[in-house]
Amino acid sequence: MDALRQVEEWPAENVAVGAVSGGRVVATHGPLDREFRWASVTKPVTALAVLVAAEEGTVDLDQPAGPPGSTIRHLLSHASGLPFEGREPIAKPGTRRIYSNTGVEIAAETLEAGAGMPFAEYLRQAVLEPLGMRAELRGSPASGIFGSLDDLVRFARESLSPTLVAPETLDEATSVQFPGLSGVIPEMGRFDPNDWGLGFELRNRKPGHWSGTLASERTFGHWGGAGTFVWADPEQGVALGCLTDLDFGDWAKEAWPRLSDAVVAELSADAK
């Protein structure tokens, strides 16, 4: 796939990228099995484990968790009022979109208590192993997954066509939670509204989005400070995942949208 060759020009020493279309991995570039740090791309994987637990009845998305007035739903959608790091709220739940690692960690702790097992073990049994992923959670449920491109494209396929949860559950997780909230995405700027799902960042009408200009408004995913991202566009049936060993910076703000647009354009041309 010609579009993926763009990554050869990136400043990262190691890059692995893969595209999914029509329910299968159509192209990859770079090492398929090399382990990378996923950073915040961990968050939607953690969220998927919580969704599995919700369907099993282990937790309820609307049960209290975190600060007073907050629920698991608030925590996963960055609407709990918790700061980026720390357990003292800086806003009332449901009033602002404050990106919070701590909120995701508390959601995982709540699942851990309900399941009676360490969250990392639940994640392995409920998500990683069923999807054939060899990735591991080493540390925070907000940022601690280490895994390969093979693992990431497996997750991307699941994001387009779920097998672990009902399609209706994934639809809810990729729909706006607490509509109308404004807030800042770290390193990306302020958005009003700053739409978010349950663990998934939503493109919607955000200007200058990192997924490019050709992905539909239904596109959802996440990016990480380790120079990593994954997005899925259910309208076009396309997903793209990328792992690097270069921390996010200005290079990514230009490179990621350009790559994303090239991939969508090439797949659209091939489909005609």
Side-chain angles (χ1 to χ4, degrees):
M1 189 173 187
D2 289 341
L4 299 188
R5 294 176 184 164
Q6 289 185 19
V7 303
E8 296 173 5
E9 303 169 7
W10 290 7
E13 183 174 347
N14 293 287
V15 182
V17 60
V20 176
S21 181
R24 63 187 182 91
V25 180
V26 293
T28 65
H29 189 89
L32 196 60
D33 296 325
R34 187 184 193 279
E35 183 178 87
F36 292 85
R37 181 172 70 94
W38 288 19
S40 286
V41 175
T42 301
K43 289 180 173 70
V45 187
T46 287
L48 181 57
V50 177
L51 296 177
V52 172
E55 285 197 345
E56 290 178 343
T58 302
V59 298
D60 189 302
L61 294 174
D62 295 308
Q63 75 181 72
S70 172
T71 65
I72 291 177
R73 187 181 302 276
H74 287 93
L75 294 170
L76 291 181
S77 60
H78 302 291
S80 68
L82 289 169
F84 180 72
E85 301 284 358
R87 303 205 170 206
E88 285 298 320
I90 56 177
K92 293 181 179 180
T95 61
R96 290 168 56 193
R97 193 81 66 191
I98 304 171
Y99 187 84
S100 175
N101 284 341
T102 302
V104 175
E105 291 165 356
I106 293 176
E109 291 170 7
T110 305
L111 189 162
E112 185 173 87
M117 69 170 68
F119 177 75
E121 179 63 17
Y122 188 92
L123 179 71
R124 183 180 66 81
Q125 293 186 22
V127 175
L128 303 180
E129 286 190 350
L131 294 182
M133 296 169 63
R134 291 175 292 176
E136 293 183 354
L137 180 64
R138 303 171 191 164
S140 169
S143 60
I145 283 182
F146 288 75
S148 67
L149 178 65
D150 180 69
D151 295 321
L152 188 60
V153 293
R154 288 174 185 270
F155 179 74
R157 288 176 58 188
E158 178 71 10
S159 299
L160 286 173
S161 183
T163 61
L164 302 183
V165 296
E168 295 80 8
T169 300
L170 185 63
D171 285 346
E172 180 181 3
T174 57
S175 299
V176 183
Q177 306 293 310
F178 309 103
L181 299 187
S182 62
V184 174
I185 300 179
E187 306 295 336
M188 290 289 190
R190 181 178 180 83
F191 296 89
D192 189 5
N194 186 10
D195 290 335
W196 221 277
L198 297 172
F200 295 91
E201 195 248 315
L202 308 182
R203 177 195 164 126
N204 284 3
R205 295 181 175 86
K206 290 172 181 164
H209 197 261
W210 53 271
S211 62
T213 62
L214 299 182
S216 78
E217 292 181 359
R218 283 285 293 123
T219 298
F220 59 87
H222 218 290
W223 65 273
T228 54
F229 73 78
V230 63
W231 59 255
D233 182 348
E235 195 168 291
Q236 302 187 70
V238 173
L240 184 65
C242 178
L243 299 171
T244 82
D245 56 5
L246 178 64
D247 285 351
F248 175 84
D250 288 342
W251 70 270
K253 295 179 183 180
E254 186 278 329
W256 290 355
R258 181 169 172 262
L259 173 66
S260 297
D261 281 348
V263 167
V264 173
E266 186 170 340
L267 289 174
S268 297
D270 290 345
K272 293 180 180 179

